[in-house]
Amino acid sequence: MSQASNDSDHGIYRARREMLAERLRLAGGGVALVPTAPVAIRSRDSEFPFRHDSYFHYLTGFTEPEALLAIVCDASGVRSHLFCRARDPEQEVWTGWRLGPDAAPAALGVDAAAPIERLDAELPGLLADRPAVWLGFGHSAALDARVAAAFERLRERARSGVQPPAALRDLTPLLDEMRLVKDAQEIGTMKRAIAISAHAHIRAMRHARAGQREYELEAELLHEFRRHGAQSPAYGSIVASGANACVLHYERNDARMAPGSLVLIDAGCELDGYAADITRTFPVDGRFTPEQRAVYEVVLAAQAAAIDCVLPGQPFDAAHDAAVRVLAQGLVDLKLLAGSVDEVIASGAYKRFYMHRTGHWLGLDVHDAGDYREPLAATLGSPDAAAERPSRRLKPGMVVTVEPGLYLRGDDLPPGFRDIGIRIEDDVLVTVAEGEVLSEAAPKSVAAIETLMAEARA
């Protein structure tokens, strides 16, 4: 879509821009510049499918390339300016319809719009005599260069009393704080994306057979994503069988799935800019071996303990700490590690088999924006403030993943436990009372998985 994200009401995006402007005002005002992502060349004259910048989309809902949003916040009020591609009937024959600057104010709710080709000429006027210019530091080298050129042009006019902004400020922390808590529209879109992704995992379980290539299950995922309207995967799907499941970011998806092996699928779709992120692990033959089941039950119990910690007011780190304790206990009980649970945790011995954190924020990006520690302002005055910042307290509207795992590799392990990789991941919304598991439609108990796969083979 070339307008606001399948949403004819642009009030949501206007409200977000006004919220950002208020934060700018409290910080002294200025001009915020937010570009969309550039077009990327795949090979010669072939481009990768365009994907907008998440910050830009969050403030506009606009999905065309070659665009920039400017928000001016000063004593006279707040004004939003959009620079976008001009209408071009000849080019539109090849690449599709464009919104254009004339239609943008009504379609997107911005105050003014101009062709992107006018940006370099108009940027000095937007920046002149402002207290600050706000950018996402390191996000766009092209915009950094344009702002530097505008500063130089303004300095050349210093004798006439015109000055460039007095400060260059990082816009990212302000937007990250806004994006961390999802509004009702965002939650609704994420629920749809997660529901589609859960059905894709079910489809993969139903179609899995020993002897297939991993990419055959990846194709089933993609079929289900597109069949229900998702625009793309939210990230490169992981379909990892056997020892491949012990590679955390496995990418090849081309091995033949051996009889008796487990398959770990980490996959989610992107719908209208929002990501889902679900992982399920299941036996390609439809039945867990005793060793596979024992390890699986440990991971499942660890996830349940972690989900119980996804509550308003709880620290983000609480879920990880709870999962680690259950995993460590399981490794000791299975005699894969020696010592007490406290010793295994204190020494970090468990990290041989569990080397990642238990979750992350989810939203417009699969690893979404937002600090995992309380804002720095809460600890200012301490001589070592950054190091002392406590884990972020969860609030209603935050969405997190909960994804413990165990990855057993090594010739020193008992034969039945070698090359077992298991991860179970769900997407959880923090509500006013609890953590709501949004991806529960994808089966994850041993009984549910084995029953589903048996029915598919009947």
Side-chain angles (χ1 to χ4, degrees), residues 52-94:
H52 52 261
D53 174 80
S54 293
Y55 291 109
F56 179 85
H57 182 273
Y58 180 74
L59 295 171
T60 65
F62 191 51
T63 59
E64 291 186 19
E66 298 182 74
L68 178 138
L69 175 70
I71 298 177
V72 179
C73 176
D74 58 22
S76 64
V78 177
R79 299 176 302 286
S80 55
H81 301 254
L82 181 76
F83 293 87
C84 63
R85 297 182 303 179
R87 295 296 307 277
D88 185 333
E90 183 175 344
Q91 282 298 312
E92 289 175 37
V93 169
W94 294 91

Side-chain angles (χ1 to χ4, degrees), residues 105-299:
L108 303 175
V110 294
D111 297 308
I116 190 67
E117 291 81 8
R118 292 287 306 159
L119 178 59
D120 290 330
E122 296 191 19
L123 195 54
L126 284 172
L127 301 184
D129 297 323
R130 305 295 180 194
V133 57
W134 296 77
L135 303 170
F137 286 178
H139 288 191
S140 172
L143 179 59
D144 292 347
R146 282 178 140 155
V147 170
F151 268 59
E152 187 61 29
R153 290 175 63 183
L154 289 170
R155 290 191 184 102
E156 292 170 357
R157 298 167 57 190
R159 291 185 181 180
S160 62
V162 178
Q163 294 290 331
L168 187 62
R169 306 285 298 274
D170 189 4
L171 182 63
T172 306
L174 298 185
L175 284 172
D176 284 355
E177 285 297 301
M178 291 173 58
R179 285 176 55 184
L180 193 52
V181 176
K182 275 60 180 177
D183 59 34
Q185 184 247 22
E186 292 180 287
I187 292 169
T189 302
M190 292 183 70
K191 285 182 175 180
R192 294 196 300 275
I194 292 165
I196 292 169
S197 302
H199 285 294
H201 280 265
I202 292 171
R203 183 183 181 92
M205 290 181 192
R206 289 183 179 279
H207 283 76
R209 300 290 187 277
Q212 291 176 324
R213 296 282 185 178
E214 294 161 341
Y215 54 66
E216 295 181 64
L217 293 189
E218 182 181 12
E220 301 297 340
L221 298 169
L222 296 173
H223 171 92
E224 200 72 6
F225 292 167
R226 289 298 285 150
R227 176 170 171 260
H228 291 286
Q231 289 82 10
S232 68
Y235 52 96
S237 299
I238 296 170
V239 183
S241 62
N244 296 332
C246 296
V247 180
L248 299 184
H249 289 170
Y250 178 70
E251 296 179 341
R252 295 180 63 91
N253 295 358
D254 61 358
R256 197 173 294 281
M257 297 183 292
S261 65
L262 293 176
V263 183
L264 185 158
I265 295 182
D266 187 338
C269 73
E270 179 174 290
L271 175 69
D272 295 343
Y274 286 85
D277 187 6
I278 302 172
T279 306
R280 292 293 185 264
T281 308
F282 57 90
V284 69
D285 293 325
R287 298 286 294 181
F288 289 88
T289 68
E291 293 87 353
Q292 290 169 351
R293 178 171 185 154
V295 178
Y296 188 92
E297 294 285 13
V298 170
V299 178

Side-chain angles (χ1 to χ4, degrees), residues 310-312 395-398 429-436:
V310 181
L311 298 169
K395 297 179 180 178
M398 294 178 173
L429 168 67
V430 183
T431 72
V432 294
E434 62 183 358
E436 179 186 351

Side-chain angles (χ1 to χ4, degrees), residues 324-325 328 331-332 337-352 354:
V324 166
R325 180 154 291 274
L331 291 167
V332 171
L337 288 177
S340 70
V341 171
D342 288 339
E343 289 169 344
V344 164
I345 294 173
S347 68
Y350 72 90
K351 292 181 181 178
R352 174 186 171 184
Y354 181 51

